[in-house]
C-alpha cells in the first residue's frame, strides 16, 4: 500500500501539483499578490487553465488557499449544482429565493441487508452477484452512503472515525452486493488494526472476481489527500475500475464545490482505471444520490430492470425545470432593468 503518491500523477498534473507544493513550501507569509490582479477563468477549460493558475501562484507566491480562491467558475455549472441542490448556500444576500424546484424522478434501489462480515480473507463470502465496493478515509461517510442509497439502516454509522472495523457485505434483494470497508487514514486507530485492515482490503480488491467497481469517497471539503492517492495508485496497479465521489457536499458552498470538482476531475483525468466522471452527493440531504444509484445499476447491468421509464420521466422533469428557470431569469433581469 505504501505506493508513492506522485507516481499516480501524470506529466502536467504532476507539474501543477509540484508547483502548488512549492508555492506552499516557499513561505505563504510573504504574500506578493496584488489585490488588483485579475481572477483567472478556469472552469470547463481543462489542464491549461490549471497551469495558468499555478503559474500565477508561482509568480505571486500564493498559498493553495489563495490559488483556490482565484479559480473562477462557469455560471452554468453553478446552475447545474443549483438544480441538483448540491452545495450549501450562503444565507442572506447570496441566498437564491425560488418558487420552483427540480422535481427529480426518484430511482429506487432494493433494501439492503447485512449478510457477511470479514476480518480475514477466508471469511469472504462466496463470489456470486456483482459487487460495488465503497472505500475512503475514515469518517468520510461510507456506511451512511450504504444506508442512504438503499433507504435502510443496515450499516452502523458514527460521528467518531474508525467505527467500521471489518469488510461488511450487504445484499440488495439478491441483485447486487454493496461492500462497506473500514476507512484508511485514521490516525487514532491502533496501529495493529490499521496494519490488519489494509492488507485485507488489498486482498479483497486483488482477488474478488465479482467486483465491478470501487467507489472512492472523498470529503468535498478536502478533496484528494495523500492516502487517497496511494489507494488510487493501488487500484490502477490492480486494474480495478474505480470512480471518485465527493461526499458531504452540503457542507461546502456551491461555488467552492464547483472549484473542488474541477480540481479533482483534472487530477484524475488521465488515471488509467478511473471513470472520468467525478460524482457529488450529500448523503445527509439526499442530493446527488439518484445519479449514483443509476451509475450503480448500470455498473451491475441492472439498468433495464430498475430504470424502465426513468429516462423519459427525467427528460420531462428537466424540460419543465429549464422552462421555469428561464422565466425566473427573465423576470429577474426585467426587475433589475426597472431599478
Ligand atoms: N453533513 C453530512 N454529514 C455526513 C454525510 N455523510 C455522512 N455524514 C456524517 O459523517 C459521519 C461519519 O459517517 P460514517 O458513515 O460512519 O463514516 P464512515 O466513512 O463509514 O466511517 P468509518 O467507518 O469510521 O470509516 C456521521 O456522523 C455521518 O452522519 C453527508 O453527506 N453530510
Ligand atoms: Mg463505516
Amino acid at each position: 500500500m505504501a505506493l508513492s503518491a506522485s507516481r499516480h500523477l501524470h506529466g502536467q498534473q504532476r507539474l501543477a501539483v509540484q508547483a502548488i507544493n512549492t508555492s506552499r513550501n516557499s513561505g505563504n507569509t510573504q504574500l506578493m499578490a496584488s489585490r488588483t490582479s485579475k481572477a483567472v477563468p478556469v472552469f470547463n477549460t481543462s489542464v491549461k487553465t490549471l497551469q495558468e493558475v499555478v503559474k500565477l501562484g508561482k509568480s505571486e507566491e500564493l498559498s493553495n488557499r489563495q490559488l483556490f480562491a482565484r479559480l473562477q467558475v462557469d455560471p452554468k455549472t453553478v446552475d447545474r449544482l443549483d438544480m441538483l441542490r448540491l452545495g450549501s448556500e450562503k444565507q442572506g444576500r447570496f441566498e437564491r429565493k425560488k418558487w420552483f424546484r427540480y422535481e427529480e424522478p426518484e430511482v429506487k434501489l432494493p433494501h439492503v441487508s447485512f449478510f457477511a462480515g470479514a476480518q480475514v480473507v477466508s471469511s469472504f463470502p462466496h463470489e456470486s452477484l456483482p459487487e460495488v465496493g465503497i472505500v475512503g478515509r475514515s469518517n468520510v461517510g461510507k456506511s451512511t452512503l450504504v444506508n442512504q442509497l438503499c433507504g435502510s439502516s443496515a450499516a452502523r454509522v458514527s460521528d467518531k472515525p474508525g467505527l467500521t472495523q471489518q469488510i461488511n457485505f450487504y445484499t440488495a434483494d439478491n441483485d447486487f452486493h454493496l461492500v462497506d470497508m473500514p476507512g484508511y487514514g485514521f490516525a487514532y486507530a491502533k496501529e495493529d488494526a490499521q496494519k490488519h485492515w489494509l492488507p485485507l482490503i488489498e486482498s479483497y480488491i486483488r482477488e474478488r472476481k465479482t467486483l465491478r467497481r470501487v467507489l472512492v469517497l472523498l470529503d468535498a471539503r478536502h478533496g484528494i489527500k495523500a492516502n487517497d492517492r496511494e489507494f488510487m495508485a493501488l487500484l490502477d496497479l490492480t486494474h480495478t475500475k474505480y470512480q471518485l465521489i465527493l461526499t458531504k457536499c452540503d457542507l461546502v458552498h456551491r461555488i467552492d464545490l464547483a472549484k473542488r470538482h474541477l480540481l479533482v476531475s483534472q487530477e484524475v483525468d488521465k488515471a488509467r482505471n478511473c471513470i472520468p466522471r467525478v460524482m457529488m452527493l450529500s448523503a445527509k440531504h439526499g442530493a446527488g444520490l439518484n445519479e449514483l444509484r443509476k451509475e450503480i445499476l448500470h455498473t451491475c447491468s441492472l439498468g433495464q430492470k430498475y430504470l424502465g421509464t426513468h429516462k423519459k420521466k427525467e427528460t420531462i422533469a428537466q424540460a419543465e425545470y429549464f422552462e421555469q428557470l428561464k422565466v425566473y431569469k427573465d423576470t429577474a433581469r426585467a426587475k433589475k432593468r426597472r431599478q
Side-chain angles (χ1 to χ4, degrees), residues 155-170:
R156 282 178 61 216
V157 167
S158 161
D159 53 3
K160 290 200 188 90
L163 181 74
T164 310
Q165 305 210 350
Q166 58 180 12
I167 299 188
N168 287 329
F169 293 80
Y170 297 87

Side-chain angles (χ1 to χ4, degrees), residues 34-266:
S34 70
R35 284 191 182 177
T36 50
S37 56
K38 277 186 206 154
V40 182
V42 170
F43 215 80
N44 271 349
T45 43
S46 94
V47 175
K48 187 178 149 253
T49 46
L50 179 60
Q51 279 183 316
E52 277 177 33
V53 174
V54 169
K55 225 191 271 170
L56 182 84
K58 257 178 153 180
S59 65
E60 301 192 12
E61 297 196 20
L62 300 177
S63 65
N64 274 1
R65 193 182 287 250
Q66 287 164 321
L67 284 175
F68 193 78
R70 293 291 178 101
L71 295 177
Q72 249 187 22
V73 293
D74 179 353
K76 277 192 190 145
T77 311
V78 180
D79 278 349
R80 171 108 189 129
L81 295 183
D82 199 12
M83 171 180 164
L84 298 172
R85 271 168 283 143
L86 282 161
S88 67
E89 262 186 40
K90 284 201 175 99
Q91 301 280 311
R93 195 155 70 86
F94 296 103
E95 196 180 352
R96 290 198 192 182
K97 293 183 184 66
K98 276 200 294 259
W99 39 267
F100 66 96
R101 55 191 276 177
Y102 173 48
E103 296 299 340
E104 193 179 4
E106 202 187 342
V107 177
K108 274 216 161 97
L109 292 189
H111 273 256
V112 283
S113 51
F114 173 81
F115 78 100
Q119 291 188 356
V120 288
V121 176
S122 56
S123 321
F124 289 167
H126 170 67
E127 290 168 323
S128 53
L129 299 174
E131 283 176 2
V132 174
I134 302 179
V135 300
R137 289 161 55 80
S138 281
N139 209 241
V140 75
K142 300 176 290 297
S143 307
T144 309
L145 183 62
V146 169
N147 287 339
Q148 296 304 319
L149 276 173
C150 303
S152 73
S153 52
R156 282 178 61 216
V157 167
S158 161
D159 53 3
K160 290 200 188 90
L163 181 74
T164 310
Q165 305 210 350
Q166 58 180 12
I167 299 188
N168 287 329
F169 293 80
Y170 297 87
T171 178
D173 209 16
N174 285 325
D175 273 335
F176 63 93
H177 294 160
L178 288 178
V179 184
D180 182 19
M181 319 240 191
Y184 49 77
F186 170 35
Y188 315 105
K190 282 186 195 144
E191 221 173 277
D192 282 359
Q194 284 267 12
K195 272 189 194 151
H196 175 70
W197 295 335
L198 292 176
L200 184 71
I201 298 175
E202 189 169 341
S203 304
Y204 171 80
I205 284 167
R206 282 185 188 276
E207 289 165 26
R208 201 75 178 165
K209 292 190 187 68
T210 42
L211 178 62
R212 291 275 180 98
R213 190 171 297 180
V214 172
L215 306 177
V216 181
L217 269 49
L218 307 169
D219 190 319
R221 292 169 295 178
H222 312 304
I224 306 178
K225 294 269 195 183
N227 35 22
D228 296 313
R229 287 196 187 95
E230 285 176 9
F231 202 88
M232 283 150 61
L234 169 76
L235 293 167
D236 271 325
L237 207 73
T238 52
H239 307 291
T240 312
K241 278 258 169 281
Y242 63 99
Q243 187 162 18
L244 302 188
I245 318 279
L246 293 175
T247 63
K248 304 195 181 183
C249 289
D250 54 291
L251 300 178
V252 182
H253 183 255
R254 70 174 46 113
I255 307 278
D256 289 344
L257 184 60
K259 293 180 187 180
R260 178 74 61 218
H261 185 262
L262 169 78
L263 291 176
V264 170
S265 304
Q266 284 183 337

Side-chain angles (χ1 to χ4, degrees), residues 107 132 213 215 243 245 275 277 279 289-301 307:
V107 177
V132 174
R213 190 171 297 180
L215 306 177
Q243 187 162 18
I245 318 279
I275 308 288
R277 183 177 176 210
M279 303 193 81
L289 285 176
N290 280 327
E291 291 294 303
L292 183 58
R293 288 184 186 123
K294 276 190 272 174
E295 194 76 26
I296 290 173
L297 289 173
H298 289 306
T299 305
C300 299
S301 317
L307 296 172

